[in-house]
Amino acid sequence: MVETWFISDTHWFHQNIIQYCNRPFLTVEQMNEELIKRWNAVIGKEDKVYHLGDFAFGTPAQQEEVFNQLKGKIYLVKGNHDSKPNQYYRDLGFKEVYDRPIILKDFLILTHEPLPFCFGQATYQLYGHVHDSPMFKTWNKYSACMCVERHGYYPVNLETI
């Protein structure tokens, strides 16, 4: 059975994110390896994964190396650090790349940054960008943060949401 998953702000090859967000890794190499391991522990080859932005730093070759190790059919909702043209990300292997928020299943809004005007409507918003900021709850009635810091560095399954 094909499942749908969500994740945000992996920041592969971003050394400073370890300190900025108190990630439990000693080196960027350790972080990269563990994020890949945890991703592949839950994602099946045919599963859909929506990455809600800030995929990776590093060189194009480094980004390709990471992408090629990941299971699933991956879609990217671009974040503030995903600054290359959309075709660059498609060439990496993303199934589709979005510059703006998208709506999935007629009610699920997928975006990189939280959109406050969506709260209270007949929608549910999944977002990233805020990492471990205490200003945002991981889960609430109208939205959920998909940043890796919030979910043990694993993707989150649609059934959980």
Side-chain angles (χ1 to χ4, degrees):
M1 181 175 132
V2 174
E3 296 188 60
T4 302
W5 298 83
F6 304 92
I7 194 167
S8 181
D9 296 275
T10 46
H11 284 257
W12 275 289
F13 294 100
H14 186 185
Q15 179 67 47
N16 290 335
I17 201 71
I18 295 170
Q19 288 78 34
Y20 294 158
C21 296
N22 299 309
R23 290 188 176 187
F25 308 108
L26 298 176
T27 66
V28 74
E29 293 80 15
Q30 181 190 29
M31 177 183 75
N32 292 347
E33 184 179 308
E34 193 60 28
L35 286 171
I36 293 166
K37 177 180 156 188
R38 292 181 191 199
W39 177 299
N40 288 334
V42 297
I43 304 295
K45 182 179 175 190
E46 298 300 317
D47 287 351
K48 284 186 173 183
V49 182
Y50 288 89
H51 194 296
L52 304 183
D54 293 357
F55 173 70
F57 285 41
T59 67
Q62 289 172 317
Q63 291 183 16
E64 184 177 15
E65 178 187 335
V66 165
F67 192 93
N68 288 338
Q69 294 179 64
L70 301 174
K71 292 181 185 175
K73 297 177 188 304
I74 310 169
Y75 300 79
L76 178 64
V77 177
K78 287 172 77 173
N80 55 301
H81 293 293
D82 303 314
S83 57
K84 302 222 182 326
N86 290 0
Q87 191 58 48
Y88 169 86
Y89 297 102
R90 288 186 194 103
D91 291 345
L92 274 180
F94 284 95
K95 293 296 179 189
E96 190 52 80
V97 182
Y98 306 94
D99 290 312
R100 295 176 187 80
I102 62 169
I103 299 175
L104 191 65
K105 299 186 179 287
D106 294 328
F107 76 96
L108 203 54
I109 298 171
L110 308 183
T111 182
H112 179 62
E113 295 185 38
L115 302 172
F117 63 83
C118 293
F119 299 136
Q121 299 179 14
T123 59
Y124 195 78
Q125 181 185 165
L126 302 180
Y127 62 89
H129 186 66
V130 301
H131 294 274
D132 56 352
S133 170
M135 292 178 57
F136 295 84
K137 292 181 178 180
T138 301
W139 301 97
N140 71 43
K141 185 176 177 181
Y142 305 110
S143 67
C145 180
M146 295 292 105
C147 291
V148 294
E149 295 89 0
R150 306 293 182 107
H151 304 283
Y153 302 92
Y154 284 94
V156 179
N157 188 293
L158 180 60
E159 280 187 29
T160 300
I161 296 165

